[in-house]
Amino acid sequence: MKVIIFGASGRTGHPLVRQALERGHEVTAFVRGKHKLVIPHAENLRILEGSVLTYEDVERAAAGQDAVLSVLGHTKNNPKDLLTQSAANIARAMQAHSVNRIITLTGAGVAVEQDVKQGAMSRLFGTALKWMARDLWQDSVNQKNYLAQTDLDWTIVRAPRLTEGEFTKQYQTGYFKFTKPMISREDVAHFMLEELENSQYIKEYPLIGSK
């Protein structure tokens, strides 16, 4: 497929771009600066500079794509509603170019009705997130709510604490009770690409976690 990856230069974006290329997809990596993404000798990779907060940049990037993957995250210099603003720009651009499929990443602290009751550690982590990073949590909830109201074929992947751990391909997805509230970025990237190719969770909010 022809896919565009927003947040491509981030710590989850790097393995997502690399794995997408390894699977044979044509990748457009949307970044703020080309120097932030270095993947040597990568065929089928186009690096496009722009801002997710500027609709014209996003609209230009969406042209000709089959699907969108987003692993955007907050940084010190971003506005508090970065994820919500970017979701609005991305959705509008997708509709303008008849792109229907989007898979985006958010935190496991964003609850949905389908969730089962979590263990004490996971609940503690979720409570801490709401208090210590309330702006991020609220922005993530707003992003989820915004996408859920669109007619797009969306999947919102919810992950616990992301690590730089090994690429295991051993994880669980769906609505479950965490055994370990953590997951490697490599495995998250793998699941997002599996979902891109298999469309198991269209218009759903699957969790991902280590087994």
Side-chain angles (χ1 to χ4, degrees):
M1 301 182 194
K2 293 181 178 179
V3 299
I4 181 164
I5 298 176
F6 292 96
S9 61
R11 288 187 291 172
T12 307
H14 273 82
L16 186 59
V17 170
R18 192 193 70 251
Q19 290 185 38
L21 291 169
E22 291 171 352
R23 287 172 175 252
H25 298 299
E26 295 182 36
V27 177
T28 298
F30 190 92
V31 297
R32 285 173 295 175
K34 291 185 177 181
H35 66 281
K36 295 184 177 182
L37 181 66
V38 179
I39 299 181
H41 314 298
E43 298 182 3
N44 295 326
L45 174 63
R46 178 176 66 137
I47 301 177
L48 188 62
E49 288 185 330
S51 169
V52 292
L53 302 176
T54 303
Y55 172 72
E56 290 75 16
D57 290 351
V58 177
E59 188 272 333
R60 174 169 52 96
Q65 304 295 336
D66 296 317
V68 171
L69 300 175
S70 177
V71 287
L72 292 165
H74 277 223
T75 65
K76 292 186 296 184
N77 299 322
N78 290 143
K80 293 179 180 180
D81 60 347
L82 167 74
L83 301 179
T84 309
Q85 282 195 52
S86 63
N89 284 338
I90 291 170
R92 180 184 169 194
M94 290 175 66
Q95 291 162 345
H97 290 284
S98 300
V99 183
N100 293 319
R101 190 69 170 111
I102 179 170
I103 303 170
T104 189
L105 178 66
T106 193
V110 177
V112 298
E113 292 182 359
Q114 298 93 318
D115 287 340
V116 300
K117 186 177 180 180
Q118 296 293 337
M121 184 179 295
S122 295
R123 294 200 306 272
L124 180 62
F125 178 81
T127 301
L129 175 63
K130 292 178 184 179
W131 283 102
M132 298 175 65
R134 185 164 187 83
D135 290 338
L136 170 59
W137 175 79
Q138 189 62 62
D139 191 24
S140 300
V141 171
N142 292 344
Q143 176 201 36
K144 182 264 293 184
N145 292 340
Y146 185 92
L147 286 176
Q149 293 174 359
T150 70
D151 294 328
L152 301 172
D153 288 337
W154 50 265
T155 301
I156 299 173
V157 177
R158 297 178 297 142
R161 184 168 65 87
L162 299 176
T163 74
E164 309 301 327
E166 296 180 0
F167 184 13
T168 69
K169 300 182 186 179
Q170 300 296 315
Y171 50 80
Q172 54 186 328
T173 62
Y175 307 96
F176 56 87
K177 182 177 179 179
F178 284 112
T179 54
K180 298 177 182 178
M182 61 187 67
I183 186 73
S184 75
R185 299 178 190 277
E186 292 279 358
D187 284 340
V188 169
H190 182 265
F191 172 54
M192 293 181 72
L193 292 166
E194 286 287 299
E195 176 59 25
L196 174 67
E197 295 169 9
N198 299 314
S199 299
Q200 180 181 358
Y201 292 106
I202 289 182
K203 298 188 186 299
E204 291 196 53
Y205 317 89
L207 293 166
I208 179 173
S210 301
K211 287 186 176 180

